[in-house]
Amino acid sequence: MNARAPRPPRTAPAALEVRDVTVRFAGLTALDDVSFTVAPGSVHALIGPNGAGKSTCFNVLSGLCRPVHGTVRLGDAELTRLAPHRIAALGVARTFQNIVTTEGTVADNLMLGRHALSRAGFAASALRLPRAVREQREHLAAVRAIAELTGLARHFDTPVALLSYGDRKRVELARALCLEPSVLLLDEPVAGMNAAERARTAEVVADVRTELGLSVVLVEHDMGLVMRLADEVTVLDFGRAIAHGTPDEVRGDPEVLRAYLGGDAGQEDAA
Ligand SMILES: Nc1ncnc2c1ncn2[C@@H]1O[C@H](COP(=O)(O)OP(=O)(O)OP(=O)(O)O)[C@@H](O)[C@H]1O
Ligand SMILES: [Mg+2]
């Protein structure tokens, strides 16, 4: 464990309970009565073929998409009627499937992730009042610790445009962590990475979970990674949750095999 590890989440993670969530886009049912529970402090994988509804599910969890019915509860809070910034303030942070940072240094990007935690107002910061200066120093220490935990410390002052693709994707993960979330939503964190970068990111996710004690919801097509990291897996297919269980349980489930082998199985490394 590193000497300057970030603090554990502001609040101990509560269970994230998704119940009967349905999302429709015009005639298409992207999520159809989906239910699952992310146990506190666990890694819960959400898998399924392309178009199964995984990112839509993340959009519901983070408040970008409102379901036609169903609920999402984090402890006592019902999330489905809250704006994204309110959900973030409750400790739910996410990364996006296709976004890779290109502007600013690693430090700049991580400091952006602290924005929601800033208490000093704009005027206090602009006037460099002592309170604002102190707060800025604390934020910088926190983001340095997160950079260490995510293997980005040696690139702290490097423009992200100069980093490898794997490191840039890890900046996204680190930025989400800067919110000090109790639930971290990772949408395909290793997509497009080579084998070494994948292994490094898998290590980082495992470390983050152990050292910070947060819950992770992981969407990933890399089945090796899912099987290694996940405590529980929910399988989506055409918007329906067709299986739940441990990685070993879902791997042998005939419905899951049918969904993959009968659909886009060719692009998965499912084995
Ligand atoms: N904003 C939208 N408007 C209309 N249809 C949408 C919208 N977002 C998603 N969809 C459709 O909803 C379905 C689920 O999409 P989603 O992106 O959630 O799948 P996914 O499981 O994340 O797939 P992938 O593995 O390719 O990322 C797809 O058929 C998709 O085309
Ligand atoms: Mg997706």
Side-chain angles (χ1 to χ4, degrees):
M1 168 142 176
N2 89 50
R4 294 192 300 162
R7 286 169 285 161
R10 285 169 292 166
T11 48
L16 181 72
E17 295 184 56
V18 178
R19 287 291 166 271
D20 305 322
V21 165
T22 294
V23 170
R24 293 201 185 94
F25 297 116
L28 178 96
T29 302
L31 292 175
D32 192 358
D33 270 334
V34 168
S35 299
F36 61 92
T37 299
V38 179
S42 69
V43 176
H44 193 113
L46 202 53
I47 67 168
N50 291 120
K54 307 178 295 293
S55 294
T56 302
C57 187
F58 269 20
N59 289 343
V60 171
L61 299 181
S62 55
L64 295 177
C65 173
R66 210 161 266 195
V68 288
H69 67 77
T71 58
V72 177
R73 302 192 73 84
L74 179 63
D76 293 333
E78 155 59 34
L79 306 186
T80 51
R81 300 208 195 309
L82 300 181
H85 70 278
R86 299 275 315 280
I87 294 177
L90 288 171
V92 180
R94 74 171 289 177
T95 63
F96 288 86
Q97 183 172 350
N98 295 315
I99 291 184
V100 180
T101 313
T102 54
E103 303 281 331
T105 64
V106 170
D108 294 337
N109 278 275
L110 300 198
M111 286 299 273
L112 275 179
R114 299 296 288 184
H115 178 70
L117 301 179
S118 289
R119 282 177 300 276
F122 171 76
S125 302
L127 295 170
R128 298 191 58 76
L129 297 183
R131 178 166 48 94
V133 170
R134 192 168 57 244
E135 190 184 301
Q136 189 75 357
R137 211 182 303 125
E138 285 167 7
H139 284 315
L140 204 54
V143 304
R144 269 190 193 282
I146 287 163
E148 275 186 23
L149 186 64
T150 51
L152 293 165
R154 69 199 169 94
H155 301 305
F156 198 62
D157 294 311
T158 307
V160 287
L162 300 182
L163 298 181
S164 69
Y165 174 80
D167 283 338
R168 268 187 289 153
K169 257 194 94 82
R170 241 180 343 265
V171 171
E172 287 300 310
L173 194 161
R175 182 162 64 177
L177 277 180
C178 286
L179 194 68
E180 294 183 14
S182 60
V183 180
L184 178 65
L185 311 176
L186 298 176
D187 198 348
E188 302 202 20
V190 303
M193 289 187 184
N194 63 34
E197 290 172 334
R198 280 169 187 246
R200 183 75 193 98
T201 297
E203 237 173 71
V204 166
V205 174
D207 286 354
V208 156
R209 182 271 196 95
T210 311
E211 297 202 10
L212 303 183
L214 38 73
S215 310
V216 178
V217 190
L218 174 68
V219 165
E220 204 21 88
H221 282 292
D222 179 334
M223 287 305 132
L225 188 104
V226 166
M227 296 300 158
R228 202 156 67 247
L229 288 179
D231 301 298
E232 264 190 86
V233 183
T234 294
V235 187
L236 293 179
D237 186 33
F238 291 110
R240 286 189 314 117
I242 59 165
H244 297 281
T246 63
D248 278 341
E249 284 164 354
V250 299
R251 192 163 26 194
D253 186 304
E255 269 244 67
V256 176
L257 292 174
R258 185 203 48 73
Y260 277 99
L261 299 176
D264 294 318
Q267 61 117 38
E268 319 294 344
D269 352 327

